[in-house]
Amino acid sequence: MQKNITALLLCILLFAYSTSSHAGQTKEKVLLDSDMTEAFDDGIAMLLLAGAPNVELLGVTTLSGNSWVETGTACALRQLEEGGYTDIPVAKGLEYPLRPNRHDLFTLERKFVGRGHDYWVGSLDLKEPASWQAAYKAVYGQNPTMKPVDRHAVQFIIDTVRANPGEVTIAAIGPLGNLALAVRMAPDIVPLIKRVVYMGGAFFQQGNVTPAAEFNWYFDPEAARIAVRSPFREQLVLGLDLCEKVIFRAEHYDRFLKAIGDHPVRKMVRASFAGQSFEKDPNFTFFIWDVLVSAVIIDPSLITESVECFIDVNDQMGLSYGQGLAYPVEPPLGTQKARIVTAVDTERFWNLLCDPGYWKGKKQ
Ligand code: RIB
Ligand code: CA
């Protein structure tokens, strides 16, 4: 009798262990904060995390940046629907950056600060949809089956971190307004966050949207400064110093299409700017920014070089507005340490992204 009870208890423990882990590995709890787009790059970054067996994607929070938050929210919902990940909550977040009237004054601002090597300025140059439902209907010609949770993204971040103390990795792949407001509204969450992995900044090279600044941090420099100056346990930064070294070529695009097979997002990938460009011109090249964040969360051993510095963001409106700053020594008061990733094993990165195992759709 005693033996039977022990065997039963052992089975229960084994079952609990196997459902909470992948091949004996505990799942990484991730909250994705994104200025969502279809496919490359935010959409693929999201679906890669959703399909990773060693990741539990706790939710997706959206905000304006690449696109207006209404469009980004619609795209997040649609891609999760297409992938069968309808249990992953989406919370809609900030519409505007913290500095007032940024969108209204952007044409003047551009004349004042000049352009970097990328043309794209996202929602700064796009007409705002009336609602996420209108954006969904306009893009997909039908009504959604999912809807965002009934909570603002800022509150969703706060609640999720408090419910999983010390366990949540925040993948911050857009501007940092949601995160900045979350830490201002609830400073108690700062030490409860396991780490923040950012796509943002250009520290040792030129920016993309202006000669000084990278898009995500330029979009909302005030918010970015609040976020990176928060005393998080760990900050990992994938700026342009890394992202512009990893070149996305037609050979990778072909391998990727092969890997995703008939995954329902295939048509979005082919219709995306990157997809269309590769299909027209085999010499086209692109970057893959946010996808690198997901990849290093899934497999941190991809990182081959990084530097530890104190970091900051310039929030003084001027030519270097939004610039990422790194201080190896004697940092300004209030700045915090971060690890800036400067190289990854690119071959292993493409192998990971083009592994069909991640592209089966809904986890079994
Ligand atoms: O500067 C690159 C960043 O801006 C990425 O997050 C990408 O999504 C973008 O448009
Ligand atoms: Ca992004």
Side-chain angles (χ1 to χ4, degrees), residues 189-201:
I189 66 168
V190 173
L192 302 182
I193 293 172
K194 181 178 174 186
R195 64 181 167 155
V196 183
V197 186
Y198 304 95
M199 191 285 120

Side-chain angles (χ1 to χ4, degrees), residues 40 44 48 248 252 255-256 259-260 288 291 295 348-356 358-359:
F40 292 104
I44 297 301
L48 185 59
F248 187 17
H252 306 123
R255 273 181 71 190
F256 181 71
I260 66 173
I288 200 140
V291 184
R348 287 185 50 226
F349 163 71
W350 291 115
N351 289 344
L352 185 153
L353 182 64
C354 301
D355 177 343
Y358 293 103
W359 302 104

Side-chain angles (χ1 to χ4, degrees), residues 35 41-42 66 173-174 216 290:
D35 54 342
D41 57 341
D42 294 70
N66 252 324
I173 60 171
N216 286 341
D290 301 340

